[in-house]
Amino acid sequence: SQICFVPVGFAAVTTVVVSALTGHYLIMCLFQIPYAKTPDLVSVTSLCTVCVLTAIITESLVRDLAQLPGQISSHSMDKCSCFCCDNNHVHPTTKKQLPCDRK
């Protein structure tokens, strides 16, 4: 069996891009700015905002991914705590016997 790691930073990048495009569209509609062949201030500002935010979030994502191999190599299942062992295999409220999470 293998573990698949999915970087959650991709969701942030997608959210920034979609939000910026939606905001740009709403501004264009709200102020009834016609689309011109030359870029206007709103278009340039939106593009710059998307680029800067995407770069910041991507840099954070790359840093997190660079740390992942070290975190995985130092992880030990034997050192992990689990609810059942922490409570001596007895549910604290119901007092019923708990099966071990590690087995």
Side-chain angles (χ1 to χ4, degrees), residues 53-72:
L53 291 176
T54 303
I56 291 169
I57 293 170
T58 302
E59 188 272 331
S60 174
L61 172 65
V62 169
R63 190 178 339 106
D64 291 345
L65 288 175
Q67 294 174 355
L68 188 60
Q71 292 173 347
I72 292 172

Side-chain angles (χ1 to χ4, degrees), residues 72-82 85-86 100 102-103:
I72 292 172
S73 66
S74 66
H75 180 76
S76 170
M77 289 301 290
D78 294 331
K79 294 178 185 174
C80 292
S81 64
C82 56
C85 293
D86 288 346
C100 189
R102 294 179 183 220
K103 294 181 182 179

Side-chain angles (χ1 to χ4, degrees), residues 2-87:
Q2 295 180 348
I3 298 173
C4 178
F5 293 95
V6 178
V8 294
F10 285 125
V13 171
T14 304
T15 302
V16 167
V17 171
V18 169
S19 297
L21 292 174
T22 303
H24 175 73
Y25 177 75
L26 290 174
I27 288 170
M28 297 298 275
C29 290
L30 182 65
F31 294 110
Q32 297 179 349
I33 301 171
Y35 283 97
K37 292 185 179 184
T38 58
D40 59 352
L41 182 61
V42 175
S43 298
V44 172
T45 304
S46 296
L47 180 62
C48 289
T49 303
V50 169
C51 290
V52 168
L53 291 176
T54 303
I56 291 169
I57 293 170
T58 302
E59 188 272 331
S60 174
L61 172 65
V62 169
R63 190 178 339 106
D64 291 345
L65 288 175
Q67 294 174 355
L68 188 60
Q71 292 173 347
I72 292 172
S73 66
S74 66
H75 180 76
S76 170
M77 289 301 290
D78 294 331
K79 294 178 185 174
C80 292
S81 64
C82 56
F83 179 79
C84 61
C85 293
D86 288 346
N87 290 287

